[in-house]
Amino acid sequence: MNIITIKQLLLIFSTICYFGITKANAQSNDSQIKEYSTKKTLEQVITQQWEVNDLIFKTNKKIKDPFDKEVIAEVINPQLIVQKIPLFYNGNGEWIFRFSSSDVGKSTYKIVAPHLSFDGRKGEVIVQKNTKVDRHGSVVLKEEYPQHFFYEDGKHYFNLAFECDWLFALDYGKEELSKTKHLLKVLNDYKYNQVVMNVYSYDVKWKKDPKLGNHQEFEYGGREDIYPFLGSNSSPNYSSLNVDFFQHLDQVILEMHDHEIVSHLMIYVWNKGVNWPDMNTEADNLYYDYVIKRYQAFPNVVWDVSKEALLYGRATNEYISERIERTKALDAYNRLISVHDYGFCKRHPDEVDFISMQNWERALYQKMIDAKNEFKNKPIFNIEHGGYEEAPFQVFPGAYTNSEACLRRNYECIFAGGYTTYYWQGASWNVVIHNPFEQGEEFEKPHFDYFKHMANLFEKFNFENFEPLSWFNSSGYNLTNKKDGVVMMYTPKECQWIGVSKVIKQFDASEAKQLWFNTLTGEYSEEEPYNTAPFDFWYERPWKGEADVILIVKGLKEQKVN
């Protein structure tokens, strides 16, 4: 048996070519490969919290239907809790025990693999405290903050997502992930911390922009060399899975993990031309179970059964519910799960960990508030709000394409106390411009910076402590943070009057300060004493007519009761 971190697995070429990667002279600095004789009864690997490790077990015997074999690692963690982690078949007689942990200390394991030569193999994993500054563990929920996301180490997770359905395809078939790495670094630099992505998509059904004909380097739809089963999308062979496909997806999700970007992994999609096997067939179950087995150990994975799960008539409520139960039965790590279908989430809130919405309506803010008030113990995540910022090619215009209009809709989601996703037509679907800022002047650039400013703002002012008090909205949108003594009022650039005094009256504002935040540039105005004029802020304010702004009143104190 070889014991190896997944980072090493994907970066090292030795006498054995793991996952088809042949990168000579590339070695991880985290640890080293350890080779163990099959005669040893106890093997050990040393790792850190939230590091992903692959323990590889190999048999030389030819095994019939290897994907169907149930192979389990029974893990006992330092708290003596038993975790049953499924191994997955990786081709060439290899089964992989993929492992990560937040528990510091020693865990022991035993492999249960009837009729396989490594049945009964035992070992231990020593997990040391995480030393990576920006690594915080998987995304979880907290009972005391039921409508927010957090990391395992307690830090708030400001869920700022970026849709990129075809991320899996950028470097498919290539030895290097140059395009994938470039795009993920750009997203990381602009503080996107989640990518909403498909395991697999084939092609879009709508008309494509003729201008794409001269830029085929950005087109990823319709490729016949990429398919999770044998054969191709046009001529599928459901008898087995395409291990090469999943080995490549490993690399993509690992690269995301290195950048601390969550993979919001939509296991199915119905409207992208995929030739899926019929529901509940052996092939359907084989595919679904394999995805759960293979990716559950990644701390940066969040499950989503299907994009637009019930919109196209293929699936039923019963089928989606069964998929959720199937996930929970197989996932030893209990990763968060939802369904990209508000109707399903609304009817089955107890089956999902957060409420997923897809709302394009003009009254978006009110729809988000309604959902937040209805589901008080779940985060609300509007995955798709109808705003698709324009790009050099028209891919899918949706309802809004102007960059400022799209930004405003994202802020409406945030000021309703929910979370949101940014769409750029140059990356969300079959067209992926992985290096937009390296393109010529004729290429319209995305406004990623708008969302970096948003993330910085709510990191500075603790988004998890705010509540939308809509009855104080006045001419803008209100967020109130009683814990830290901060009130915000989102103000459209056309607005003449910002009525904030009613909400401020809840506090002692004698020492309060006010300042303004420019949503386009991320600039703050200078702080000044809170204005207590009777007509609020019916006067000239910074960036009037130029940008939507947020009035911030801070230093508020709880009113003393006589």
Side-chain angles (χ1 to χ4, degrees):
M1 183 194 78
N2 299 318
I3 298 182
I4 183 174
T5 67
I6 191 170
K7 182 75 173 179
Q8 295 166 328
L9 186 64
L10 298 174
L11 292 179
I12 298 173
F13 174 67
S14 186
T15 56
I16 300 173
C17 184
Y18 293 107
F19 289 3
I21 302 299
T22 57
K23 294 185 180 178
N25 303 317
Q27 180 156 343
S28 166
N29 294 322
D30 297 333
S31 55
Q32 55 185 323
I33 295 179
K34 297 182 180 179
E35 302 264 351
Y36 286 89
S37 163
T38 57
K39 295 180 181 179
K40 280 193 176 281
T41 57
L42 180 68
E43 289 101 13
Q44 184 186 85
V45 62
I46 299 175
T47 186
Q48 286 193 6
Q49 287 175 298
W50 308 304
E51 186 72 42
V52 183
N53 302 271
D54 278 0
L55 285 67
I56 305 170
F57 297 85
K58 191 174 178 68
T59 180
N60 293 324
K61 293 182 179 180
K62 186 175 181 180
I63 305 297
K64 183 180 179 181
D65 300 323
F67 289 100
D68 294 331
K69 294 290 182 267
E70 184 175 337
V71 183
I72 299 292
E74 293 182 343
V75 180
I76 302 177
N77 74 6
Q79 289 75 42
L80 303 182
I81 297 172
V82 178
Q83 188 181 22
K84 293 186 177 182
I85 302 174
L87 279 69
F88 59 86
Y89 184 64
N90 192 49
N92 299 318
E94 290 183 354
W95 273 263
I96 293 182
F97 167 27
R98 184 164 284 168
F99 177 79
S100 67
S101 178
S102 60
D103 298 313
V104 174
K106 182 175 74 173
S107 294
T108 61
Y109 67 85
K110 176 183 177 181
I111 302 300
V112 180
H115 312 300
L116 294 174
S117 60
F118 48 84
D119 181 43
R121 191 76 61 82
K122 296 179 181 179
E124 61 185 32
V125 182
I126 308 299
V127 180
Q128 299 174 340
K129 187 174 178 61
N130 168 61
T131 59
K132 187 173 180 181
V133 175
D134 56 354
R135 176 156 289 169
H136 306 287
S138 63
V139 179
V140 297
L141 304 180
K142 268 189 178 184
E143 186 175 350
E144 60 269 37
Y145 293 89
Q147 294 192 300
H148 289 284
F149 295 110
F150 291 85
Y151 289 107
E152 282 182 286
D153 70 353
K155 178 181 171 64
H156 174 246
Y157 174 69
F158 185 71
N159 181 33
L160 183 56
F162 181 92
E163 179 102 358
C164 188
D165 290 349
W166 262 262
L167 182 61
F168 67 89
L170 283 191
D171 295 290
Y172 192 85
K174 304 290 178 61
E175 185 175 324
E176 296 288 339
L177 300 187
S178 56
K179 295 179 181 178
T180 306
K181 289 180 178 181
H182 185 98
L183 177 58
L184 291 175
K185 184 181 185 306
V186 170
L187 296 181
N188 183 264
D189 288 344
Y190 284 95
K191 295 212 165 183
Y192 295 99
N193 56 17
Q194 182 172 136
V195 174
V196 179
M197 58 188 288
N198 292 129
V199 172
Y200 172 71
S201 298
Y202 178 63
D203 208 355
V204 297
K205 295 184 177 181
W206 51 79
K207 185 178 178 181
K208 296 182 180 181
D209 191 330
K211 290 186 293 185
L212 268 174
N214 296 323
H215 293 280
Q216 286 298 305
E217 69 272 22
F218 302 130
E219 168 67 74
Y220 292 91
R223 286 181 58 171
E224 294 292 343
D225 61 323
I226 310 177
Y227 195 52
F229 293 93
L230 300 183
S232 66
N233 192 73
S234 297
S235 300
N237 177 354
Y238 299 132
S239 65
S240 190
L241 297 171
N242 177 7
V243 172
D244 289 343
F245 173 88
F246 293 100
Q247 290 171 353
H248 174 76
L249 188 59
D250 282 353
Q251 298 179 65
V252 175
I253 295 180
L254 176 65
E255 193 66 31
M256 297 173 71
H257 182 46
D258 285 349
H259 284 288
E260 295 301 306
I261 295 175
V262 168
S263 169
H264 181 119
L265 198 58
M266 298 183 291
I267 301 172
Y268 295 119
V269 58
W270 311 133
N271 71 332
K272 299 297 187 294
V274 180
N275 210 336
W276 295 111
D278 291 338
M279 290 190 301
N280 291 314
T281 58
E282 288 185 11
D284 183 35
N285 294 339
L286 181 68
Y287 163 79
Y288 193 90
D289 291 354
Y290 192 73
V291 171
I292 304 302
K293 291 176 183 178
R294 188 154 191 142
Y295 297 105
Q296 62 181 267
F298 282 98
N300 62 317
V301 161
V302 169
W303 305 119
D304 193 321
V305 174
S306 178
K307 184 177 177 71
E308 298 167 344
L310 298 175
L311 189 58
Y312 296 98
R314 181 189 188 276
T316 63
N317 283 280
E318 293 74 19
Y319 177 70
I320 299 301
S321 292
E322 187 275 338
R323 298 289 101 169
I324 292 174
E325 287 304 310
R326 198 175 194 95
T327 305
K328 292 178 179 178
L330 275 172
D331 180 8
Y333 294 87
N334 300 314
R335 305 300 183 202
L336 299 186
I337 186 168
S338 192
V339 181
H340 190 313
D341 188 286
Y342 184 50
F344 180 90
C345 291
K346 193 178 177 74
R347 292 187 295 273
H348 304 266
D350 294 337
E351 296 179 28
V352 296
D353 291 308
F354 57 93
I355 303 298
S356 296
M357 295 182 68
Q358 184 182 13
N359 193 289
W360 289 24
E361 293 187 29
R362 178 65 179 170
L364 174 62
Y365 172 85
Q366 189 59 50
K367 293 296 181 181
M368 292 287 291
I369 283 286
D370 291 345
K372 183 176 176 63
N373 291 336
E374 182 173 357
F375 304 105
K376 294 183 181 297
N377 64 338
K378 306 275 184 180
I380 309 299
F381 179 24
N382 195 341
I383 299 180
E384 195 165 356
H385 52 66
Y388 308 104
E389 187 180 318
E390 56 197 346
F393 313 103
Q394 180 173 292
V395 182
F396 184 78
Y400 302 87
T401 61
N402 174 268
S403 60
E404 291 186 41
C406 292
L407 177 65
R408 184 179 291 180
R409 288 182 71 78
N410 280 279
Y411 269 109
E412 287 183 47
C413 294
I414 298 298
F415 270 74
Y419 297 94
T420 188
T421 308
Y422 167 64
Y423 282 72
W424 180 50
Q425 291 189 55
S428 292
W429 299 284
N430 58 301
V431 174
V432 185
I433 305 172
H434 69 279
N435 55 350
F437 301 112
E438 278 67 49
Q439 300 302 316
E441 293 183 2
E442 72 280 6
F443 268 51
E444 187 164 1
K445 308 300 189 295
H447 290 87
F448 292 172
D449 52 327
Y450 292 172
F451 296 86
K452 183 176 183 178
H453 304 327
M454 175 192 287
N456 286 335
L457 173 70
F458 287 109
E459 185 174 295
K460 180 176 181 177
F461 287 102
N462 301 323
F463 180 69
E464 68 273 23
N465 293 334
F466 283 92
E467 283 294 324
L469 305 183
S470 57
W471 51 91
F472 291 126
N473 274 352
S474 168
S475 54
Y477 302 118
N478 165 268
L479 278 177
T480 296
N481 177 347
K482 294 182 179 179
K483 182 177 180 180
D484 299 325
V486 181
V487 168
M488 291 186 179
M489 187 71 75
Y490 182 90
T491 310
K493 65 182 180 181
E494 304 87 358
C495 186
Q496 300 294 319
W497 175 73
I498 303 96
V500 73
S501 62
K502 289 183 180 179
V503 65
I504 299 297
K505 287 178 181 178
Q506 298 181 99
F507 301 93
D508 172 1
S510 59
E511 299 179 14
K513 303 288 186 181
Q514 68 183 44
L515 67 160
W516 303 81
F517 175 78
N518 186 318
T519 61
L520 300 185
T521 66
E523 295 173 85
Y524 291 92
S525 69
E526 291 187 9
E527 286 187 14
E528 57 186 0
Y530 166 61
N531 188 321
T532 57
F535 293 105
D536 288 308
F537 300 98
W538 203 352
Y539 58 83
E540 292 300 314
R541 58 172 173 79
W543 309 296
K544 185 177 180 181
E546 298 176 13
D548 290 0
V549 296
I550 297 172
L551 170 64
I552 304 168
V553 182
K554 65 178 190 176
L556 298 166
K557 298 178 181 179
E558 187 177 355
Q559 289 276 19
K560 294 181 180 179
V561 179
N562 295 325

